[in-house]
Amino acid sequence: MDLNKYYRKIPKVDSILENEKIKKLLEKTSRELVLDCVREATEDLRKLINDKPDNEDEINHEINNLIGKIALMLDRLTNYNMKKVINGTGTILHTNLGRAPISKEAAERARNIVTGYSNLEFDLEQGKRGSRYSHFEKIIAKITGAEAALAVNNNAAAVLLILSAIAKDKEVIVSRGELVEIGGSFRVPDVMKQSGGILVEVGTTNKTHLHDYEERITPDTAALLKVHTSNYKIVGFTESVSIEELSALGKKYNIPVIEDIGSGVLTDLSSYGLTYEPTVQNSIKAGIDVICFSGDKLLGGPQAGIIAGKKHYIDKIKKHPLNRALRIDKFTAAVLESVFHEYLEEEKAMENIPVLKMINMNIEDIKQSAEKLSKKLKDFSEFLDIGIDECLSQMGGGALPLERMKSYAVSLKPKTMTCTSFERELRNIDVPVIGRVLNDTFYIDLRTVLEGEDQVIYDGIKNLFK
Ligand SMILES: *Cc1c(COP(=O)(O)O)cnc(C)c1O
């Protein structure tokens, strides 16, 4: 087949650069960048002709659309890709949407610190080198009862670091009911392997007794590890060993007991109508030697892995070379300090930490927000059937997997397009609105829509239909 008939139709670079639309782009962007896109687009076109020479329609369409494609490529390259979105899914810790949102106040404090120099690692009293953990270590100790603390990149890093520092080439005993996998390839056996620790599984999936642990203790045992089954529940004929019993066993044999508690819950959630989730304080009180948890799950802070416990072990962990590779930066240190500050008073935490605020929302308030938004959106009733529906929000982020919270959603059923197209359009506006689609209807759960965002939703939909 003679492909030249197609190749001849591809405009030459010089003539592309003379195109009015491209000329406009050249005013805003560097010539190199424009040329790169021109080359990439024409190469894609040649490849298409080569690979699918029989596809005449597609090839002609792409040739005619070449300028548009170059413009789009440039647009994608020069516009910011990471942006704010509105979470109308009702999943509070939506992993794909960045888990825990940070309060404006905490972000503002961090902005102040990172746009200039700070005492990140400078002890202002002594006038010499300080520790990046000093900004929150005392507060964590105060809140949780732990002697010392540090923070690393995330909880996966925390587990890896603890095991590397305490159990390399030695045995760690874990219950078979707690060999957890968290989304994104965190698996307890794999992390153990990576750390150099040797996994000793005990008990069965549904039942593990204290004697199961005790029978496997040898001079090679470096630690007993408890992992919170944050994202699943084993129910029915089950038994696991309490942290109190495990701590006592560790003491008896002088072996440290480590707990990966997953979410950093510092408040008793059962007083807010949720299922009780084990708190960090409770574990420390029970005698756990080293505990770790996520910064951006129920704690409601930045991505981080917080490690707290007995000073002797925390010092060892701080000194481990891997810690240097996993350390947090100044953004995280600043936000962590702000978040822990809120926890000094539980009431303040419930009010000022967005995740806790969303958990603790009054159902009547959510209903009112839904009514307010649906009323606003009535301006578009020509295009949308608008209603309010009861719905169920969830925690997400692999926390409280069975918990559902009653909530209210605005339902939007498009009249002039399919719901699939509507959902796609809403994903591609300036501030994308991410919701749930059910029975050809788009739902926005108001629990996860933050203050002031109803106007943003309104503006976005207005632009779509204008
Ligand atoms: C979420 C979770 C992790 C991983 O934490 P990240 O902060 O996401 O790295 C590890 N262990 C448990 C038990 C968890 O729930």
Side-chain angles (χ1 to χ4, degrees), residues 179-192:
L179 297 174
V180 175
E181 170 172 328
I182 306 289
S185 73
F186 174 94
R187 294 175 128 191
V188 170
D190 296 344
V191 178
M192 184 75 72

Side-chain angles (χ1 to χ4, degrees), residues 210-215 217 224 241 243-255 257:
L210 191 64
H211 62 80
D212 291 325
Y213 288 90
E214 189 160 14
E215 281 160 17
I217 292 177
L224 309 177
V241 175
I243 43 177
E244 287 81 6
E245 289 171 296
L246 207 59
S247 298
L249 186 65
K251 281 208 181 58
K252 183 172 163 192
Y253 290 90
N254 201 18
I255 297 167
V257 181

Side-chain angles (χ1 to χ4, degrees), residues 339-352:
V339 172
F340 279 115
H341 254 276
E342 304 288 5
Y343 277 104
L344 287 172
E345 282 175 63
E346 183 169 319
E347 260 171 49
K348 264 177 63 188
M350 294 311 290
E351 256 170 51
N352 297 338

Side-chain angles (χ1 to χ4, degrees), residues 99 154-156 182 186 227-228 230 260 262 294 296-297 304:
R99 282 199 190 156
N154 56 17
N155 193 31
I182 306 289
F186 174 94
V227 185
H228 180 46
S230 11
D260 169 10
S294 277
D296 57 353
K297 289 189 185 167

Side-chain angles (χ1 to χ4, degrees), residues 243-245 247-248 251 281-288:
I243 43 177
E244 287 81 6
E245 289 171 296
S247 298
K251 281 208 181 58
Q281 292 92 316
N282 195 45
S283 292
I284 298 288
K285 205 164 105 201
I288 294 288

Side-chain angles (χ1 to χ4, degrees), residues 272-313:
Y272 302 96
L274 294 187
T275 315
Y276 175 78
E277 268 286 285
T279 64
V280 178
Q281 292 92 316
N282 195 45
S283 292
I284 298 288
K285 205 164 105 201
I288 294 288
D289 296 286
V290 180
I291 192 167
C292 63
F293 50 95
S294 277
D296 57 353
K297 289 189 185 167
L298 284 164
L299 188 79
Q303 181 190 303
I306 292 107
I307 306 174
K310 305 255 163 75
K311 185 163 185 320
H312 162 67
Y313 295 113

